[in-house]
Amino acid sequence: MPIDWDPIWLTLRLAGITTLLLLLIGVPLAGWLALSRFRLKPIVEAIISLPLVLPPSVVGFYLLLTFSPTSWLGAWLLRTINLQLVFSFEGLVVASLIYSLPFMVHPVQAGVENLPTSWREASYTLGQSPTKTLWRVLLPNCKPALLTGIVLTFAHTIGEFGLVLMIGGNLPGQTRVASIAIYDEVELLHFETAHAYAVLLLGLSFAILLLVYAINKRVTV
């Protein structure tokens, strides 16, 4: 039985958009966490890390309640900018941003923290601000950490299931990503089609990881 390619393209689109947005959001946040001495920093780090320990269905359930049109936030978004995040692709993007945030932040934060502190001090001595130091001195020297964050974010978004099912449902062409398509085919006893989807995701994930290890090895040599 031929497979429907829509879930594959939708999955890649979701992973690509999530990774791009988290580069813009997660990298500055990681840099701030690495350089900051904010007293409540452990609380911020704990909040960011929650998706690592919470079941995806728990995160999805609370996002469903938060963005539901019957909630004040969901109603406000719908009334003000006509945006409904429940059972929509936009909702999948927002949910993926929240759930994949630690996969971008943690590697980059660790990469910046592991750089010699003398580099920061020299930059400050030359009159550079912490922001310029981060972007011009530190981040260019932790490319493996940046690449790891990008790859982990992309791969993790591809594999999401419980979260996207809770917040997006199973709408063909809108929220039916590859992981949900596999579940549907298994329920229908279409094991050959489920196997085809699974092999595609397996091959894609392996290729991504192989690429990042190969690039990291060349960068660190």
Side-chain angles (χ1 to χ4, degrees), residues 52-123:
L52 296 175
V53 295
L54 283 176
S57 55
V58 172
V59 179
F61 172 69
Y62 283 110
L63 289 178
L64 182 64
L65 294 181
T66 301
F67 297 132
S68 169
T70 59
S71 70
W72 72 268
L73 179 58
W76 180 82
L77 290 172
L78 191 60
R79 181 178 64 253
T80 306
I81 56 177
N82 194 31
L83 177 63
Q84 178 174 318
L85 294 180
V86 174
F87 306 125
S88 67
F89 180 78
E90 293 79 7
L92 292 188
V93 172
V94 173
S96 296
L97 288 175
I98 295 172
Y99 197 62
S100 294
L101 182 61
F103 292 89
M104 180 66 76
V105 170
H106 287 173
V108 177
Q109 180 183 354
V112 173
E113 289 176 340
N114 288 331
L115 293 176
T117 57
S118 58
W119 293 4
R120 275 179 270 165
E121 294 168 356
S123 179

Side-chain angles (χ1 to χ4, degrees), residues 138-206:
L138 302 180
L139 289 180
N141 286 286
C142 57
K143 292 176 183 177
L146 280 169
L147 182 60
T148 299
I150 291 171
V151 170
L152 287 179
T153 300
F154 190 89
H156 182 257
T157 306
I158 287 177
E160 289 174 357
F161 175 73
L163 176 74
V164 296
L165 185 61
M166 291 291 289
I167 192 70
N170 188 0
L171 303 178
Q174 298 181 52
T175 63
R176 186 174 184 256
V177 295
S179 57
I180 294 177
I182 293 173
Y183 180 79
D184 286 345
E185 299 300 335
V186 171
E187 275 200 320
L188 295 172
L189 302 180
H190 296 162
F191 296 119
E192 289 186 6
T193 307
H195 176 64
Y197 280 124
V199 167
L200 280 172
L201 291 186
L202 177 62
L204 180 61
S205 300
F206 179 78

